[in-house]
Amino acid sequence: EDQVTQSPEALRLQEGESSSLNCSYTVSGLRGLFWYRQDPGKGPEFLFTLYSAGEEKEKERLKATLTKKESFLHITAPKPEDSATYLCAVQAQMNDMRFGAGTRLTVKP
Amino acid sequence: EAQVTQNPRYLITVTGKKLTVTCSQNMNHEYMSWYRQDPGLGLRQIYYSMNVEVTDKGDVPEGYKVSRKEKRNFPLILESPSPNQTSLYFCASSLILKTGLTYEQYFGPGTRLTVT
């Protein structure tokens, strides 16, 4: 069965303290891996799509990378406004979408 | 403004009383999907649709129905709601690229459903 596991469940950082979030997956035929940010009480907001191993995408303080088994979301010098839950999702051969449980990030000033 | 709208935003109902949650998008997206979000379980896909009249089951389709008669609308129907369907529901839509791959999903604001 397809599975997506995110770690850690929660992460507390000081402002400026860089770190990485992990998304490991087991799916039959990965078609795409997606990262979203979700603020409390709101719908997820798109960050990145990665389609093949070795691919990298960057946006401001965030950088997403993809291997054949996992993806990392690297956060460089985070700010308090980066506090949110970060969700990883994979799309497999049948076009269904499977999300991980998310990493809740808190950045303290 | 590009958006996905859901109605109602909040709903409290009783067991067994049929209800429909509407979802509409104004971006001409082919792909539409319904999710439920529960604490500790993340987002789980209920149904998705690749285009008009094409729907498929996601991870947790039991107790739900959908239809896609028009490209912009994708209503979620609970024929006989039960308390275990109390959850936060999100509708989403996405383009399908020429390669057949989907791109970013735009999510609606969510519908908080309570079934007593």
Side-chain angles (χ1 to χ4, degrees), chain A residues 31 38 91 94-95 97, chain B residues 31 37 45 48 100 102 105:
Chain A
R31 291 173 63 86
Q38 186 176 26
Q91 187 170 32
M94 296 303 292
N95 292 311
M97 199 76 68
Chain B
Y31 188 95
Q37 188 170 38
Q45 193 173 42
Y48 64 97
T102 57
Q105 287 189 84

Side-chain angles (χ1 to χ4, degrees), chain A residues 7-76:
Chain A
S7 61
E9 284 185 22
L11 182 61
R12 296 169 72 90
L13 300 172
Q14 286 297 130
E15 185 172 0
E17 180 187 0
S18 302
S19 188
S20 296
L21 282 54
N22 177 263
C23 172
S24 63
Y25 62 90
T26 51
V27 295
S28 49
L30 180 74
R31 291 173 63 86
L33 185 140
F34 304 81
W35 282 98
Y36 290 87
R37 170 196 170 122
Q38 186 176 26
D39 293 302
K42 294 191 174 181
E45 195 178 302
F46 173 76
L47 293 173
F48 302 110
T49 306
L50 301 164
Y51 292 112
S52 55
E55 196 174 352
E56 298 183 354
K57 295 264 178 81
E58 264 187 273
K59 180 180 171 180
E60 295 179 359
R61 296 179 291 283
L62 299 176
K63 179 179 175 181
T65 62
L66 179 65
T67 72
K68 288 186 178 178
K69 292 183 179 180
E70 59 191 349
S71 176
F72 290 94
L73 184 65
H74 307 278
I75 303 178
T76 302

